[in-house]
Amino acid sequence: MTDGGLKVEQPMESVEALSREAEGLKVKLEEERQKLNDVPLTTVAARLENLQQLNIKPRRVLKGHQGKVLCSDWCNDKRHLVSSSQDGKMIIWDAFTTNKEHAVTMPTTWVMACAYSPTGSMVACGGLDNKVTVYPLSFDEDVTQKKKAVGTHTSYMSCCTFPYSDQQILTGSGDSTCALWDVESGMMLQSFHGHQGDVMALDLAPSETGNTFVSGGCDKMALIWDMRTGQCVQNFEGHESDINTVKFYPSGDAIATGSDDATCRLFDLRADREIAVYTKESIIFGVNSVDFSVSGRLLFAGYNDYTVNVWDTLKCHRLTILYGHENRVSCLKMSPDGTSISTGSWDFTLRIWA
Amino acid sequence: MAQLSNLQQQRLMVEQLRREASLKRLPVSEVVEEIKQFILQHEPEDYLLIGFSSQKNNPFRERASCDIL
């Protein structure tokens, strides 16, 4: 195609030519990834000593929800926790004393996601209402007075988080997209298209490693995104069913995922491939939530069989099982200083383990 | 998002694949070694892993109760 006097490239692009190039690239990528799979993780880890017995016990039980607990998040002050439930309530707890400091009733049930802002002055939540609503926290007036709907998807919101400041919020949705919103104006700053199914979870890269995040979905894929450009920079497959949870490894170089296929997996970003699978024949129930301990040596995973399994990330074996919940473990999160882990369950309670 | 023609969709896919193909990748042995080093470096701060030298340092220790005499 020429345009007046301008010299324009003539790439002989046809659907067939592009299709052939795509196939060729896919084969090349697969070969590259295979070539680099030189040594299994467990071989490198074999030289490490086995860990001593862990001393993790249930320390607190947070009772108050009248429905399944679906999501929770820690405040950066390491003691407050926000949780949301199927009963439409969001509760803010002082985890040390187990006191409930705020209770907010949402005009919707199944509040599937909640998050604390970095300064601790606001919380965000949403779910079946397709929206993310922000609540500035205050002891002087009813918290629902100043609430603000920030963004709307065309399907349920499954996850949300504040990327590094109180001014923006990142959401994932059943409409298969993620979106970045400006809290003040409610404007969508960026949208992320690429999943072929509901987005179920997202996690931010540790701030040292830049503006990226990972999302996991019902299309069994985990995708790494550049927040500024909206582009998908890497993708990982391997799971055999919906991915319910994703988490960055503390160094930012790898991600852990948990799935309905009853496995957790570790994918390394620089090797661009799966490097570990955490599985046992006896484990047949889906994983809803994962998190790492501070060093990354421990991988905590909450399952539909009511337990939390603690895995040795390097040696790929299970270290211990945390019992206590009386129904599915739907969410779990390490506290900001790494001293404890909170779990939330369909048994209406949250528990703190340390 | 407006419906893309088949050609545009193919083009986007090929561009994405080209970007991925140009990524620099490292062998598994190297990345795992780095993960191991990270773990060893941060183990001393990982209280869930090493526990507390004294339960007094555990912010979630069982609360002592006081009796008012």
Side-chain angles (χ1 to χ4, degrees):
Chain A
M1 272 181 309
T2 50
D3 184 316
L6 290 171
K7 183 165 179 277
V8 172
E9 251 185 35
Q10 301 234 18
M12 283 312 290
E13 281 185 345
S14 63
V15 174
E16 297 78 42
L18 286 171
S19 188
R20 276 198 301 273
E21 190 182 346
E23 284 315 301
L25 284 168
K26 282 184 197 164
V27 167
K28 184 163 167 251
L29 279 168
E30 206 27 58
E31 280 170 4
E32 270 287 297
R33 286 169 176 148
Q34 274 304 98
K35 254 194 338 204
L36 295 165
N37 192 19
D38 51 352
V39 172
L41 178 73
T42 42
T43 305
V44 177
R47 290 169 247 148
L48 283 172
E49 274 175 34
N50 274 330
L51 288 174
Q52 282 177 337
Q53 183 85 340
L54 295 175
N55 186 28
I56 301 174
K57 297 195 171 79
R59 304 283 175 181
R60 301 284 189 275
V61 182
L62 304 178
K63 292 189 189 174
H65 276 296
Q66 286 155 339
K68 302 170 168 143
V69 175
L70 303 175
C71 187
S72 66
D73 192 24
W74 284 95
C75 178
N76 282 341
D77 70 2
K78 311 158 209 168
R79 88 184 261 173
H80 289 92
L81 197 59
V82 62
S83 63
S84 65
S85 160
Q86 173 210 18
D87 66 1
K89 290 230 183 19
M90 189 175 54
I91 297 180
I92 290 161
W93 313 83
D94 176 331
F96 288 176
T97 61
T98 74
N99 286 344
K100 296 183 252 307
E101 294 194 353
H102 300 271
V104 178
T105 304
M106 300 275 291
T108 178
T109 57
W110 286 91
V111 188
M112 300 157 89
C114 62
Y116 239 113
S117 73
T119 62
S121 62
M122 307 193 278
V123 287
C125 62
L128 281 187
D129 58 352
N130 298 1
K131 294 200 289 234
V132 61
T133 305
V134 161
Y135 292 80
L137 294 176
S138 163
F139 281 111
D140 302 324
E141 54 189 359
D142 181 12
V143 167
T144 32
Q145 291 290 349
K146 292 260 173 66
K147 75 174 181 191
K148 192 177 164 32
V150 169
T152 309
H153 280 277
T154 53
S155 183
Y156 66 89
M157 185 178 82
S158 55
C159 45
C160 64
T161 190
F162 287 84
Y164 320 126
S165 82
D166 283 21
Q167 277 83 53
Q168 293 178 352
I169 192 155
L170 188 60
T171 57
S173 167
D175 69 11
S176 79
T177 71
C178 299
L180 181 66
W181 313 85
D182 177 270
V183 172
E184 185 59 45
S185 64
M187 241 178 48
M188 184 192 282
L189 300 170
Q190 188 61 261
S191 71
F192 305 89
H193 296 257
H195 276 290
Q196 308 283 327
D198 304 17
V199 174
M200 299 303 291
L202 54 82
D203 190 37
L204 294 165
S207 46
E208 303 83 49
T209 47
N211 293 354
T212 59
F213 71 96
V214 59
S215 63
C218 292
D219 58 357
K220 314 176 200 165
M221 301 287 292
L223 304 181
I224 309 280
W225 303 91
D226 180 321
M227 254 192 292
R228 282 162 301 193
T229 63
Q231 263 171 15
C232 170
V233 295
Q234 272 180 283
N235 65 72
F236 297 101
E237 54 185 8
H239 275 295
E240 293 165 13
S241 186
D242 300 2
I243 293 180
N244 295 321
T245 175
V246 289
K247 199 89 185 100
F248 263 96
Y249 182 78
S251 70
D253 293 326
I255 55 162
T257 53
S259 161
D260 277 348
D261 69 8
T263 71
C264 300
R265 289 171 204 244
L266 190 66
F267 296 90
D268 188 286
L269 268 54
R270 291 156 315 158
D272 192 35
R273 57 167 297 122
E274 178 187 290
I275 57 171
V277 184
Y278 306 96
T279 181
K280 259 174 112 68
E281 258 185 52
S282 54
I283 301 176
I284 55 171
F285 287 89
V287 182
N288 295 318
S289 195
V290 293
D291 205 355
F292 285 103
S293 68
V294 161
S295 66
R297 183 70 190 264
L298 303 178
L299 177 66
F300 293 85
Y303 291 74
N304 283 342
D305 66 0
Y306 315 174
T307 69
V308 174
N309 284 356
V310 187
W311 297 88
D312 182 321
T313 309
L314 290 178
K315 289 182 177 279
C316 299
H317 58 226
R318 180 172 61 188
L319 292 165
T320 189
I321 305 176
L322 304 179
Y323 293 103
H325 279 295
E326 294 164 13
N327 206 320
R328 288 193 189 189
V329 177
S330 54
C331 52
L332 64 76
K333 214 160 215 163
M334 193 187 65
S335 66
D337 60 357
T339 54
S340 69
I341 192 138
S342 74
T343 54
S345 163
W346 282 17
D347 70 6
F348 302 6
T349 70
L350 290 116
R351 278 161 217 251
I352 312 284
W353 313 76
Chain B
M1 211 165 87
Q3 262 306 80
L4 295 177
S5 72
N6 206 7
L7 179 65
Q8 284 168 316
Q9 275 178 0
Q10 281 290 84
R11 210 181 271 148
L12 280 177
M13 188 165 73
V14 168
E15 275 165 14
Q16 176 70 16
L17 286 168
R18 280 183 197 150
R19 265 195 300 268
E20 289 177 25
S22 65
L23 278 181
K24 182 172 179 292
R25 289 176 185 77
L26 298 175
V28 170
S29 53
E30 198 179 312
V31 302
V32 170
E33 192 53 46
E34 288 194 28
I35 289 178
K36 200 175 92 176
Q37 288 312 314
F38 182 91
I39 288 177
L40 293 174
Q41 257 174 25
H42 290 86
E43 259 178 24
E45 309 149 14
D46 189 345
Y47 295 109
L48 286 166
L49 181 64
I50 61 177
F52 293 94
S53 48
S54 152
Q55 274 301 305
K56 282 214 194 86
N57 298 333
N58 181 352
F60 289 98
R61 67 188 172 282
E62 302 317 322
R63 294 163 284 173
S65 57
C66 298
D67 288 324
I68 311 271
L69 296 171

